[in-house]
Amino acid sequence: QYESVYRSTEKFVDWLEASGYLGVDTPQRICDIACGGGANLAYLSRRYKNSRFTGIDISHPLICYGAEKLRDEVNCELYQGDWFHLDTKWRDQFDGIISFQTLSWLSEYHEPLRQLAELNPKWIAISSLFYEGDIEYSITLKNYYRVSNGKEYEKQYYNIYSLIRVRKHLETLGYREFHFIPFEIDIDLPKPESMDVGTYTIKTEENKRLQISAALMMPWYFIVASK
């Protein structure tokens, strides 16, 4: 992603800027939760040079990798941390918290969202898999293409959460202003040669692109909730 920014990242940030949550002339303190190796932080820091960005991820190797890649970015910093047990030192430190493509790959969303709310940001923005109706899907993969911890497969989540339920949960946490849009990708993604997970697109008769990973359709949405 350092070499080629995901289209979803660009579109998500475009939407947040158009909605007034991000701005070139509006200095803010932004956290990228579950930042991985920091590629999205690099994109944000170069686009919004007057803001300060903090990345938090559970993986120590990824944090070390990101710190090396971002060593010349003066408005970025990276820390190791567990989303399910966030350090209270980050409370009142951020204007906004962004999560790119992670929530559906956690076991559930109630505690992760509560942890973010405990940090008391003005707004929380998330890109993930959602459904507009009052139905939720708990999807667990046994991925035999990926060996994990001595097992013959890696356990992965591909959960699809109800926007209705997520909105109600955020309201109980004090975030009553809620907006969302579906992410409709505008470029073709080729199908991977492997049958492992990996997003690609197919076109419908109406020329709309659907995003697929392995055997699953990916209903991507962008959401933002504020106080």
Side-chain angles (χ1 to χ4, degrees):
Q1 293 183 63
Y2 274 99
E3 303 302 324
S4 180
V5 179
Y6 283 172
R7 192 63 170 151
S8 58
T9 296
E10 293 177 319
K11 289 291 188 179
F12 190 19
V13 174
D14 286 346
W15 179 63
L16 290 174
E17 183 174 314
S19 301
Y21 290 94
L22 293 173
V24 175
D25 299 321
T26 308
Q28 293 198 80
R29 300 162 300 165
I30 305 297
C31 174
D32 179 2
I33 189 73
C35 66
N40 289 327
L41 281 171
Y43 175 73
L44 288 166
S45 68
R46 293 164 189 168
R47 183 164 171 170
Y48 303 104
K49 296 183 182 298
N50 291 327
S51 291
R52 185 83 188 169
F53 297 95
T54 299
I56 301 172
D57 196 273
I58 196 170
S59 170
H60 180 68
L62 285 177
I63 290 297
C64 291
Y65 173 82
E68 176 64 22
K69 294 287 287 187
L70 294 167
R71 64 185 183 278
D72 295 326
E73 302 296 333
V74 296
N75 58 341
C76 283
E77 54 191 358
L78 296 175
Y79 296 94
Q80 185 178 7
D82 183 347
W83 189 343
F84 283 86
H85 304 282
L86 291 173
D87 197 316
T88 55
K89 72 180 182 181
W90 287 309
R91 181 174 173 81
D92 298 323
Q93 296 302 305
F94 307 119
D95 296 297
I97 297 179
I98 305 177
S99 166
F100 296 90
Q101 304 176 328
T102 302
L103 193 64
S104 286
W105 286 263
L106 303 180
S107 57
E108 56 93 17
Y109 63 85
H110 294 89
E111 183 60 19
L113 293 183
R114 191 188 71 80
Q115 287 283 320
L116 297 187
E118 283 292 314
L119 300 187
N120 198 36
K122 296 175 183 177
W123 52 268
I124 298 169
I126 295 169
S127 64
S128 200
L129 306 181
F130 295 105
Y131 176 58
E132 293 186 31
D134 203 3
I135 299 174
E136 295 190 324
Y137 298 80
S138 297
I139 303 172
T140 305
L141 277 62
K142 292 182 178 179
N143 190 339
Y144 293 94
Y145 288 102
R146 304 187 183 189
V147 178
S148 177
N149 297 324
K151 296 182 179 179
E152 62 176 331
Y153 62 85
E154 181 179 88
K155 182 178 179 180
Q156 296 174 287
Y157 297 101
Y158 266 62
N159 295 326
I160 302 171
Y161 303 124
S162 165
L163 284 171
I164 295 171
R165 296 288 156 176
V166 169
R167 179 175 188 168
K168 287 180 178 178
H169 184 51
L170 285 165
E171 285 178 350
T172 67
L173 298 172
Y175 292 83
R176 295 181 173 82
E177 189 74 23
F178 185 86
H179 302 281
F180 70 87
I181 59 167
F183 167 49
E184 297 182 355
I185 193 167
D186 57 352
I187 60 173
D188 296 321
L189 301 177
K191 188 173 183 178
E193 294 182 7
S194 167
M195 296 187 74
D196 194 358
V197 294
T199 303
Y200 64 96
T201 56
I202 61 173
K203 283 186 179 180
T204 66
E205 291 182 355
E206 295 80 15
N207 212 35
K208 179 180 179 180
R209 293 176 180 86
L210 301 179
Q211 296 187 73
I212 310 291
S213 180
L216 296 172
M217 188 172 74
M218 311 283 279
W220 285 104
Y221 280 79
F222 304 148
I223 70 171
V224 63
S226 57
K227 292 187 173 184

